[in-house]
Amino acid sequence: MALELGCGEGQKSLWLARQGLLCTAIDISERQLDYARSDAKAEKLSVDFRNQSIESFSASEASYDLVTSSHAFEFVECPFRLIQRVANWLKPGGTFVLSTVHPVYNGDWVETEAEGTNEPICGRLLTNYFNPVDDVREQPEGHGTPIASRAYPVSAWFRAFRTAGLIVEHLEEPPAVRTPAYASDDWMDAFEECSAIPTTLILVGRKP
């Protein structure tokens, strides 16, 4: 059995269902889930899509072989506490795959000129690696207050996994990719700068 936390349009859960896994997928956006359910119906796939927040979800201990989450934990108020709950939901030998924003990516944009030329240089400046700035996202007009994407040092995520009793088997720091699923025009304009730094942190933990 598999669980996806913050599934969005459900692409990952649908892929897991194609592999024969029984999947539960939760997301706070009913609109995103409508797309997910429509795709599942079109492919005749069975996924248990639920409209609720990650923080409100609960499960019996040792329920899942796999828990996965992609770019949702940075919006959780207490992500490290949630990792402990995830560890409790895993069966012995189960795996937790977490993708989250890399702290370097939450730096501020800087623009300067190359020394001795008039060529512009753009990049990221992180004034304090151990306390990265929040990436505040404005909501569409009339749809609530802004939300913040919070980044944490790589060591803090690693420590949270180990504190929860998970063995970290893989840690990856991939750069940006050319065609991300949810990219704005501004982000794509800055692709060259983003491709020079890790934008995502991926940890794979296993419960003994």
Side-chain angles (χ1 to χ4, degrees):
M1 292 182 65
L3 168 67
E4 183 178 8
L5 301 171
C7 66
E9 294 183 14
Q11 294 96 330
K12 293 179 182 63
S13 287
L14 292 173
W15 184 88
L16 291 170
R18 293 185 199 108
Q19 315 314 308
L21 276 73
L22 297 175
C23 293
T24 299
I26 69 168
D27 198 90
I28 198 170
S29 170
E30 185 64 45
R31 183 178 181 184
Q32 294 275 58
L33 292 175
D34 285 341
Y35 289 116
R37 294 186 182 107
S38 177
D39 289 342
K41 183 178 180 181
E43 293 191 51
K44 296 182 171 59
L45 295 171
S46 179
V47 177
D48 181 10
F49 289 109
R50 304 183 188 180
N51 180 214
Q52 63 182 117
S53 67
I54 294 176
E55 296 94 329
S56 68
F57 180 80
S58 62
S60 301
E61 291 192 7
S63 298
Y64 297 100
D65 301 288
L66 171 67
V67 178
T68 183
S69 182
S70 179
H71 286 281
F73 269 52
E74 57 257 42
F75 298 103
V76 173
E77 190 68 32
C78 300
F80 301 146
R81 189 182 305 166
L82 182 57
I83 289 172
Q84 180 63 69
R85 296 177 63 200
V86 169
N88 292 337
W89 298 335
L90 285 171
K91 298 177 181 178
T95 299
F96 177 35
V97 182
L98 173 68
S99 301
T100 188
V101 63
H102 196 286
V104 173
Y105 184 64
N106 268 30
D108 292 320
W109 278 111
V110 293
E111 296 184 13
T112 185
E113 293 181 354
E115 186 175 355
T117 74
N118 292 323
E119 293 296 322
I121 297 178
C122 299
R124 291 277 184 171
L125 171 66
L126 195 61
T127 56
N128 185 347
Y129 175 83
F130 300 101
N131 187 24
V133 296
D134 291 347
D135 179 7
V136 179
R137 316 281 182 88
E138 297 291 337
Q139 298 277 53
E141 187 174 351
H143 288 78
T145 59
I147 58 175
S149 166
R150 298 181 176 88
Y152 303 87
V154 174
S155 58
W157 290 106
F158 181 90
R159 188 164 52 250
F161 269 58
R162 297 295 291 144
T163 300
L166 299 174
I167 298 171
V168 178
E169 296 192 322
H170 298 285
L171 189 156
E172 300 291 341
E173 301 173 281
V177 294
R178 174 64 70 176
T179 54
Y182 305 100
S184 66
D185 291 340
D186 289 341
W187 194 96
M188 292 305 294
D189 288 342
F191 173 78
E192 294 302 326
E193 290 76 26
C194 290
S195 65
I197 60 172
T199 57
T200 298
L201 173 66
I202 303 173
L203 296 104
V204 179
R206 177 176 57 83
K207 184 173 183 177

